[in-house]
């Protein structure tokens, strides 16, 4: 009489499983049949491995976005007002502005927020004000590689779900840079895409770093579409 059951293919497991048909064995000569318990463990292990691979992939992607200095910031170093907003903020058309003098961990706070969003599956991108100004200039560069990199950077600034503009007011923008900044703010606010930004200077001081024509409209969009959190050293 032909056996209709066999041992589970897992070593050290002696549960019985249905024997595959002869036709199936001819097609798949190395076929291994697992019992239900072992198969569930196999599926769980596979899910865990996939989760670990996804976590590793996201970590690599975040490392490509975030400067090394800010990848593992200690939350205890962040002012309570900043950290509270980092933990509470959810994606919405209203962004977040961190304002305070140098040394108040504005940039660290912003990257802690972006890291949380990134690992929850939200597409984020961060750039300094000087990096944005450089991209604005390099989009007209004679070097095709520099031009392509600048165009890609500006495109990501427009398309990403959440954008970080770091250190606004650090230096004066050129006319071209101001035009690009105004256009970026107009595009993102009109499409409900939030901006996280940091600045050392308050509104009046920041406006002095911008031209009379565009300074007020730029600041108005930043303030109107953001919750501004201030910290004094």
């Amino acid at each position: 009489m032909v056996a209709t059951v066999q041992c589970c293919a897992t070593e050290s497991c002696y549960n019985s499983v249905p024997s595959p048909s002869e036709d199936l064995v001819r097609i798949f000569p190395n076929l291994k049949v697992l019992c239900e318990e072992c198969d569930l463990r196999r599926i769980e292990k596979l899910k865990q491995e996939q989760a670990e691979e996804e976590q590793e992939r996201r970590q690599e992607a975040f490392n490509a976005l975030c400067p090394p200095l800010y990848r593992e910031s200690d939350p205890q170093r962040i002012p309570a007002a900043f950290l509270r907003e980092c933990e509470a903020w959810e994606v919405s058309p209203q962004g977040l502005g961190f304002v305070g003098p140098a040394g108040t961990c504005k940039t660290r706070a912003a990257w802690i927020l972006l890291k949380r969003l990134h690992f929850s599956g939200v597409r984020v991108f961060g750039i300094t004000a000087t990096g944005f100004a450089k991209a604005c200039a390099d989009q007209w560069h004679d070097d095709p590689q520099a031009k392509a990199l600048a165009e890609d950077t500006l495109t990501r600034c427009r398309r990403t779900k959440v954008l970080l503009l770091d250190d606004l007011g650090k230096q004066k923008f050129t006319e071209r840079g101001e035009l690009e900044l105004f256009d970026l703010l107009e595009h993102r606010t009109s499409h409900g895409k939030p901006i996280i930004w940091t600045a050392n200077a308050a509104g009046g001081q920041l406006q002095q770093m911008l031209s009379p024509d565009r300074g007020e409209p730029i600041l108005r969009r930043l303030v109107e579409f953001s919750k501004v959190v201030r910290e004094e050293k």
Side-chain angles (χ1 to χ4, degrees):
M1 183 176 179
V2 179
T4 58
V5 295
Q6 64 184 37
C7 283
C8 172
T10 302
E11 292 185 13
S12 74
C13 177
Y14 301 100
N15 291 335
S16 297
V17 295
S19 297
S21 67
E22 293 182 359
D23 290 339
L24 196 59
V25 171
R26 277 197 298 270
I27 299 172
F28 302 104
N30 297 319
L31 179 67
K32 295 181 178 180
V33 182
L34 303 177
C35 67
E36 183 176 354
E37 183 179 338
C38 289
D39 194 39
L40 288 174
R41 282 201 296 266
R42 178 190 66 83
I43 293 173
E44 188 61 33
K45 181 181 178 182
L46 180 61
K47 287 181 179 179
Q48 183 177 351
E49 290 173 350
Q50 290 174 337
E52 290 173 355
E53 289 175 1
E54 176 64 16
Q55 183 75 1
E56 184 177 342
R57 185 192 67 78
R58 289 191 178 183
Q59 184 65 59
E60 289 175 355
F62 183 74
N63 290 347
L65 287 172
C66 179
L69 182 62
Y70 306 120
R71 290 175 190 166
E72 298 296 339
S73 293
D74 182 1
Q76 293 185 351
R77 296 181 56 184
I78 310 302
F82 288 171
L83 189 60
R84 190 163 51 246
E85 295 299 333
C86 288
E87 294 172 346
W89 191 83
E90 298 294 340
V91 178
S92 71
Q94 184 185 49
L96 202 56
F98 297 106
V99 178
T104 50
C105 295
K106 302 179 298 296
T107 300
R108 289 185 182 278
W111 277 110
I112 284 177
L113 172 55
L114 260 65
K115 184 176 183 178
R116 174 171 70 82
L117 296 173
H118 171 80
F119 279 94
S120 68
V122 178
R123 186 171 57 172
V124 301
F125 184 64
I127 190 169
T128 62
T130 53
F132 180 77
K134 184 177 186 302
C136 292
D138 284 355
Q139 65 181 320
W140 312 105
H141 207 290
D142 291 335
D143 180 3
Q145 187 172 357
K147 176 182 171 68
L149 179 60
E151 290 174 344
D152 178 68
T153 297
L154 295 176
T155 297
R156 294 180 77 180
C157 286
R158 292 172 71 89
R159 291 183 178 177
T160 189
K161 183 66 176 177
V162 178
L163 172 67
L164 166 62
L165 284 175
D166 191 28
D167 268 341
L168 285 172
K170 202 76 169 182
Q171 65 174 43
K172 285 195 173 184
F173 278 95
T174 63
E175 181 178 2
R176 166 58 61 181
E178 270 195 7
L179 285 169
E180 292 284 355
L181 177 60
F182 177 80
D183 183 65
L184 175 64
L185 297 178
E186 175 63 26
H187 172 79
R188 292 193 62 84
T189 54
S190 64
H191 286 79
K193 295 182 177 181
I195 299 172
I196 311 300
W197 55 275
T198 74
N200 286 357
Q205 297 169 297
L206 187 56
Q207 188 168 348
Q208 292 176 7
M209 303 295 289
L210 302 167
S211 68
D213 291 339
R214 286 177 291 273
E216 191 276 331
I218 286 173
L219 285 177
R220 187 175 68 247
R221 279 163 177 76
L222 284 173
V223 173
E224 182 180 346
F225 291 93
S226 304
K227 178 178 181 179
V228 181
V229 187
R230 292 178 171 82
E231 177 68 22
E232 299 300 330
K233 198 167 184 179

